[in-house]
Amino acid sequence: RGGTGERNVDDVAKAKATQAFTQSAIMSLGILVGFSWEHCFDGGVSALAGLTATPHIAKLGLAAAVAVIVTPAWRDHVVPKEMAYDKLHEEQKVQEDELEESLHLSKNSADNLAA
Protein backbone atom coordinates (compact mmCIF):
# COMPACT_ATOMS: atom_id res chain seq x y z
CA ARG A 1 0.00 0.00 0.00
CA GLY A 2 1.16 3.56 -0.75
CA GLY A 3 2.04 6.44 1.49
CA THR A 4 0.11 8.31 4.12
CA GLY A 5 -1.56 10.59 1.57
CA GLU A 6 -3.02 7.61 -0.27
CA ARG A 7 -4.38 6.14 2.98
CA ASN A 8 -5.99 9.49 3.86
CA VAL A 9 -7.65 9.65 0.44
CA ASP A 10 -8.92 6.07 0.92
CA ASP A 11 -10.23 6.97 4.39
CA VAL A 12 -12.09 9.97 2.98
CA ALA A 13 -13.60 7.82 0.22
CA LYS A 14 -14.75 5.20 2.76
CA ALA A 15 -16.21 7.89 5.01
CA LYS A 16 -18.14 9.38 2.10
CA ALA A 17 -19.51 5.96 1.12
CA THR A 18 -20.56 5.29 4.71
CA GLN A 19 -22.21 8.71 4.96
CA ALA A 20 -24.09 8.16 1.68
CA PHE A 21 -25.34 4.77 2.88
CA THR A 22 -26.44 6.20 6.24
CA GLN A 23 -28.29 9.07 4.56
CA SER A 24 -30.05 6.63 2.23
CA ALA A 25 -31.12 4.45 5.15
CA ILE A 26 -32.44 7.46 7.08
CA MET A 27 -34.33 8.75 4.05
CA SER A 28 -35.85 5.30 3.49
CA LEU A 29 -37.01 5.12 7.09
CA GLY A 30 -38.43 8.64 6.81
CA ILE A 31 -40.48 7.65 3.78
CA LEU A 32 -41.70 4.55 5.61
CA VAL A 33 -42.76 6.63 8.62
CA GLY A 34 -44.50 9.13 6.32
CA PHE A 35 -46.54 6.40 4.63
CA SER A 36 -47.40 4.93 8.04
CA TRP A 37 -48.69 8.30 9.26
CA GLU A 38 -50.68 8.75 6.05
CA HIS A 39 -52.26 5.33 6.53
CA CYS A 40 -53.18 6.14 10.15
CA PHE A 41 -54.68 9.50 9.24
CA ASP A 42 -56.64 7.96 6.37
CA GLY A 43 -58.06 5.27 8.66
CA GLY A 44 -58.95 7.80 11.33
CA VAL A 45 -60.65 10.14 8.89
CA SER A 46 -62.60 7.26 7.35
CA ALA A 47 -63.69 6.04 10.79
CA LEU A 48 -64.83 9.49 11.88
CA ALA A 49 -66.53 10.23 8.58
CA GLY A 50 -68.36 6.89 8.75
CA LEU A 51 -70.08 8.06 11.92
CA THR A 52 -71.78 10.95 10.10
CA ALA A 53 -74.78 11.06 7.79
CA THR A 54 -72.68 12.47 4.91
CA PRO A 55 -69.25 10.82 5.01
CA HIS A 56 -67.92 12.58 1.89
CA ILE A 57 -68.67 16.03 3.32
CA ALA A 58 -67.19 15.00 6.68
CA LYS A 59 -63.97 13.83 4.95
CA LEU A 60 -63.74 17.16 3.13
CA GLY A 61 -64.24 19.08 6.38
CA LEU A 62 -61.66 17.00 8.24
CA ALA A 63 -59.16 17.43 5.39
CA ALA A 64 -59.68 21.20 5.48
CA ALA A 65 -59.29 21.23 9.28
CA VAL A 66 -56.02 19.29 9.08
CA ALA A 67 -54.72 21.65 6.38
CA VAL A 68 -55.66 24.73 8.44
CA ILE A 69 -54.06 23.33 11.62
CA VAL A 70 -51.00 21.50 10.26
CA THR A 71 -49.82 23.90 7.54
CA PRO A 72 -49.03 26.85 9.86
CA ALA A 73 -47.28 24.57 12.35
CA TRP A 74 -45.24 23.01 9.52
CA ARG A 75 -44.34 26.45 8.17
CA ASP A 76 -43.32 27.75 11.63
CA HIS A 77 -41.42 24.72 12.92
CA VAL A 78 -40.37 22.30 10.19
CA VAL A 79 -39.42 24.67 7.36
CA PRO A 80 -36.91 26.77 9.39
CA LYS A 81 -35.21 23.63 10.70
CA GLU A 82 -34.98 22.16 7.20
CA MET A 83 -33.51 25.41 5.86
CA ALA A 84 -30.93 25.47 8.68
CA TYR A 85 -30.08 21.82 7.97
CA ASP A 86 -29.63 22.57 4.26
CA LYS A 87 -27.29 25.46 5.08
CA LEU A 88 -25.28 23.30 7.48
CA HIS A 89 -25.10 20.50 4.89
CA GLU A 90 -23.77 22.91 2.25
CA GLU A 91 -21.12 24.25 4.67
CA GLN A 92 -20.02 20.69 5.50
CA LYS A 93 -19.84 19.85 1.80
CA VAL A 94 -17.52 22.81 1.20
CA GLN A 95 -15.31 21.76 4.12
CA GLU A 96 -15.18 18.16 2.87
CA ASP A 97 -14.25 19.32 -0.62
CA GLU A 98 -11.48 21.52 0.79
CA LEU A 99 -10.18 18.61 2.91
CA GLU A 100 -10.22 16.24 -0.05
CA GLU A 101 -8.38 18.78 -2.19
CA SER A 102 -5.72 19.28 0.48
CA LEU A 103 -5.30 15.50 0.82
CA HIS A 104 -4.85 15.15 -2.93
CA LEU A 105 -2.32 17.99 -2.89
CA SER A 106 -0.38 16.40 -0.01
CA LYS A 107 -0.45 13.01 -1.81
CA ASN A 108 0.90 14.66 -4.97
CA SER A 109 3.61 16.42 -2.94
CA ALA A 110 4.61 13.14 -1.29
CA ASP A 111 4.70 11.39 -4.65
CA ASN A 112 6.88 14.18 -6.11
CA LEU A 113 9.28 13.98 -3.17
CA ALA A 114 9.53 10.19 -3.53
CA ALA A 115 10.33 10.50 -7.23
Side-chain angles (χ1 to χ4, degrees):
R1 201 164 154 141
T4 304
E6 190 173 318
R7 273 184 269 158
N8 288 338
V9 171
D10 289 342
D11 291 343
V12 170
K14 287 177 185 176
K16 283 187 173 188
T18 302
Q19 182 180 10
F21 172 77
T22 304
Q23 286 178 339
S24 294
I26 290 170
M27 291 295 293
S28 299
L29 289 173
I31 290 170
L32 179 64
V33 168
F35 280 125
S36 298
W37 272 98
E38 189 276 331
H39 185 72
C40 290
F41 270 95
D42 186 49
V45 166
S46 295
L48 287 174
L51 300 174
T52 65
T54 56
H56 290 77
I57 302 295
K59 280 186 175 183
L60 179 64
L62 288 169
V66 167
V68 166
I69 293 169
V70 172
T71 302
W74 170 78
R75 181 192 63 227
D76 294 342
H77 298 284
V78 176
V79 171
K81 288 180 183 177
E82 180 62 23
M83 291 174 69
Y85 173 76
D86 285 345
K87 183 179 178 184
L88 177 64
H89 182 70
E90 287 299 320
E91 290 171 356
Q92 287 177 341
K93 178 89 170 117
V94 168
Q95 289 175 350
E96 288 172 1
D97 291 344
E98 289 173 353
L99 175 62
E100 188 173 330
E101 184 178 327
S102 71
L103 289 174
H104 282 295
L105 290 176
S106 67
K107 179 184 178 269
N108 289 340
S109 296
D111 289 345
N112 289 339
L113 289 175

